[in-house]
Amino acid sequence: MRPLRPILACTTAIALATAALAPSPATAQMAPVLEGSRVLISMIVQTALSFARTAVQLTYDGIAVDARSGEVTITGLTLHPELDWDSERACSVRIERVTLADGGRFDRIDGLLGLSGVTVPSACLDPGSSTIAAALGFDPIVAETVAIDAAYDVASSALSLDITASLADAATITAAADFDYFYFQNVSIDQEAVADGGEEAIEDAEPLAILSSAEISLVNRGLFESVEPMLNAQLGDLSAVPAIAQAGLMGALSQGSAPTPETVAFVEQVTAELARFVEQKDSIVVTLAPEVPVLLEEELFDDPVAAITALSPRVGALPAARDAVVPLSTVEIGLATPEALSPAERLALGRALLTGEGAPRSREAAIALLEGLSSAGDSDAALLLAEAYAAGRVYDRAYASALQAMAGGKAAAVPMADAMEAKLDLAAIIAAQEAVGGIAEDAALIEAGDLGGMRALAERLVAGLNGPRHYADALYWASLAAAGGDRAAAALIGRLDRRFLARDEETATWGEVSAAVSARALATWSAGLAARVTPQP
């Protein structure tokens, strides 16, 4: 672990600086100001690099900062880590280009660490690994590109992690994992360790990880051919590799007991895929696809059979994402005559076109497919449509689609609608709500004089949970409840007034809404509600 600390310190320092510089929604409009402050921004990055120098000797050729996108690029980075076995200080890691970027959102940490032209001499490896690398012809080890993408949703603590490394004349290695929940618990800081330089400063950190899927793949680009002479010398015949692996894996998994059917099936699959890989020298993929998300605990891995049952591992030649590729015939039909597809097929194709997963990304084609479904009341299509319009910065249409999805009970549409409201003026918000509609007049509430029910309905209409969001209707029901003496409803009216009068100084839209609602509420009050909620003389 010790040799990694300098590199980790360097990466952490730069990443922290990048996160601090990334434009949030509030600062995105200040891009010209940030552009004019490049010197200050560069100073912040240089300070981060100075912090990294406390752990490792480093130099670099230059820094470029894109204040609008929050991307930092460092060129010609050279690291000279201090290693126990490298008394001559021959280890010099060269990285031609380092790119760090952050999505710049309050609710999501969406970051990239990209490395290009990485050269690691064998002196940086421990003596045993160095000897093997040199024997295989990998001295130095050259990585054409290394990319680490991480997306962390702050609200749900969900984490998506993708790592890709392309090793020159060797292999492309990818690893991906999706966690429904990921965080560290029981974290404590050793202040003395911090004062001494930061080593082992974090103690007792226990990851809490709920895994939904994971995959690691290796695509051969010369590695197998380099290893083949060594394997032939040791085994005599590479065809023996699958049988050797089968015996070892079966023994490790069964642990002296009779193997379960799940164990036998898994070992047979691994053996078959190894035989294929040895013959074809192409690629091999290990996928974990549990039926339900799995809490990763030490106890799970103490029992290999339980781990296999829970994680459902499988081995193959292709990544699982290939299973999601939409057939070309379906794509062609969907683009030419979408009505020939079933609603489920149109929804799946629209999602693939929107995300670029399963079909080439085309936001325009996705919108064309989803519009009809959304108009027919498909709330899933409405939610996807909201995402498509938001990505294209068509905020009024994104908001209208989010309202339709909310009307269909889609909770994920609520934060989307909130984000769009921050970008629209009140007149556009009210117009969109009127177009989608609120709820029908609830005669039962009025007939019963149920003030609490009226106030609860007003709250739901404000939030947009399990139904549409409609501020005018919310004000109407809150006005009726407040007139009958419901203090919480009166407080809600006050919150609505403060919120919308403050942002509506130019168009007076809220004043118009309030006047129309007042007339409607007075009519309802006079038509019989007053008699039901107040004592009559």
Side-chain angles (χ1 to χ4, degrees):
M1 181 67 183
R2 181 182 177 85
L4 293 177
R5 286 182 186 141
I7 298 175
L8 290 174
C10 179
T11 302
T12 301
I14 300 172
L16 288 172
T18 305
L21 296 173
S24 66
T27 60
Q29 298 177 356
M30 297 175 62
V33 177
L34 293 176
E35 285 288 343
S37 306
R38 284 183 175 272
V39 174
L40 176 60
I41 295 172
S42 297
M43 288 177 60
I44 295 174
V45 178
Q46 289 167 359
T47 300
L49 288 170
S50 297
F51 167 75
R53 281 183 169 132
T54 64
V56 60
Q57 179 185 344
L58 67 86
T59 60
Y60 58 91
D61 295 340
I63 297 175
V65 178
D66 186 335
R68 287 183 169 84
S69 68
E71 186 171 286
V72 176
T73 303
I74 302 172
T75 54
L77 180 65
T78 303
L79 305 174
H80 298 276
E82 183 177 349
L83 306 173
D84 294 338
W85 58 81
D86 185 25
S87 58
E88 298 181 1
R89 300 297 299 276
C91 176
S92 176
V93 179
R94 175 75 174 182
I95 306 174
E96 298 301 333
R97 184 179 179 88
V98 180
T99 302
L100 296 114
D102 180 81
R105 288 173 49 181
F106 292 117
D107 59 342
R108 185 178 176 90
I109 301 172
D110 197 352
L112 163 72
L113 169 61
L115 310 177
S116 300
V118 182
T119 303
V120 182
S122 60
C124 298
L125 307 177
D126 64 80
S129 301
S130 174
T131 301
I132 295 174
L136 295 176
F138 296 115
D139 186 13
I141 297 173
V142 177
E144 297 164 342
T145 58
V146 178
I148 302 175
D149 282 281
Y152 183 76
D153 185 79
V154 177
S156 65
S157 200
L159 171 67
S160 179
L161 183 65
D162 292 273
I163 303 172
T164 302
S166 182
L167 307 180
D169 301 319
T172 297
I173 302 170
T174 62
D178 292 310
F179 297 90
D180 278 14
Y181 191 93
F182 189 93
Y183 210 71
F184 288 92
Q185 297 182 325
N186 302 322
V187 178
S188 61
I189 305 297
D190 186 337
Q191 298 296 337
E192 293 184 1
V194 173
D196 291 339
E199 293 188 1
E200 306 297 344
I202 300 178
E203 298 180 334
D204 303 324
E206 299 177 2
L208 177 59
I210 301 177
L211 180 73
S212 56
S213 66
E215 189 168 79
I216 183 168
S217 69
L218 182 147
V219 177
N220 178 47
R221 296 172 55 208
L223 177 63
F224 192 93
E225 289 76 6
S226 298
V227 174
E228 191 171 9
M230 181 182 296
L231 293 177
N232 277 323
Q234 294 179 348
L235 302 176
D237 185 357
L238 288 182
S239 63
V241 170
I244 294 172
Q246 181 181 30
L249 188 58
M250 185 67 78
L253 294 177
S254 60
Q255 297 181 338
S257 303
T260 66
E262 293 83 3
T263 300
V264 172
F266 174 64
V267 172
E268 288 179 347
Q269 185 190 35
V270 171
T271 303
E273 289 300 324
L274 276 177
R276 177 199 54 75
F277 180 67
V278 168
E279 179 181 354
Q280 299 182 10
K281 304 179 180 62
D282 50 1
S283 62
I284 193 161
V285 182
V286 179
T287 303
L288 303 181
E291 292 184 4
V292 295
V294 176
L295 175 63
L296 301 183
E297 300 177 287
E298 290 186 16
E299 293 78 4
L300 177 65
F301 299 99
D302 291 338
D303 184 349
V305 175
I308 289 176
T309 302
L311 297 172
S312 300
R314 65 175 185 267
V315 182
L318 299 174
R322 295 289 180 90
D323 297 336
V325 174
V326 180
L328 177 59
S329 58
T330 301
V331 176
E332 292 175 340
I333 293 172
L335 296 179
T337 55
E339 63 277 3
L341 299 178
S342 69
E345 289 173 327
R346 290 165 65 185
L347 183 67
L349 178 56
R351 180 180 287 107
L353 290 168
L354 178 60
T355 63
E357 298 174 3
R361 190 176 73 171
S362 173
R363 189 177 299 128
E364 295 75 14
I367 289 173
L369 272 170
L370 296 170
E371 280 281 14
L373 291 174
S374 178
S375 299
D378 189 321
S379 55
D380 289 307
L383 182 57
L384 287 173
L385 200 57
E387 296 173 2
Y389 279 129
R393 299 186 178 183
V394 186
Y395 300 130
D396 54 346
R397 293 191 177 185
Y399 184 63
S401 297
L403 290 176
Q404 291 174 333
M406 292 163 71
K410 296 297 178 183
V414 175
M416 171 67 74
D418 291 338
M420 294 304 98
E421 285 189 10
K423 299 178 181 297
L424 297 172
D425 59 39
L426 184 58
I429 293 170
I430 296 299
Q433 292 180 354
E434 290 296 333
V436 173
I439 62 170
E441 184 88 7
D442 193 333
L445 285 177
I446 296 173
E447 184 66 28
D450 185 355
L451 302 180
M454 295 176 194
R455 184 243 309 138
L457 178 55
E459 294 279 9
R460 290 200 301 273
L461 286 163
V462 170
L465 297 173
N466 299 316
R469 174 177 290 176
H470 201 284
Y471 294 134
D473 281 358
L475 182 60
Y476 168 72
W477 289 107
S479 296
L480 294 178
D486 190 301
R487 297 180 61 178
L492 174 59
I493 294 172
R495 293 200 303 273
L496 291 172
D497 283 344
R498 286 192 298 273
R499 176 181 176 184
F500 294 125
L501 289 174
R503 61 176 293 174
D504 194 36
E505 295 180 354
E506 295 182 4
T507 63
T509 299
W510 188 244
E512 295 174 2
V513 169
S514 298
V517 167
S518 296
R520 179 185 171 194
L522 279 171
T524 303
W525 183 259
S526 303
L529 180 58
R532 295 184 181 92
V533 300
T534 60
Q536 298 301 308

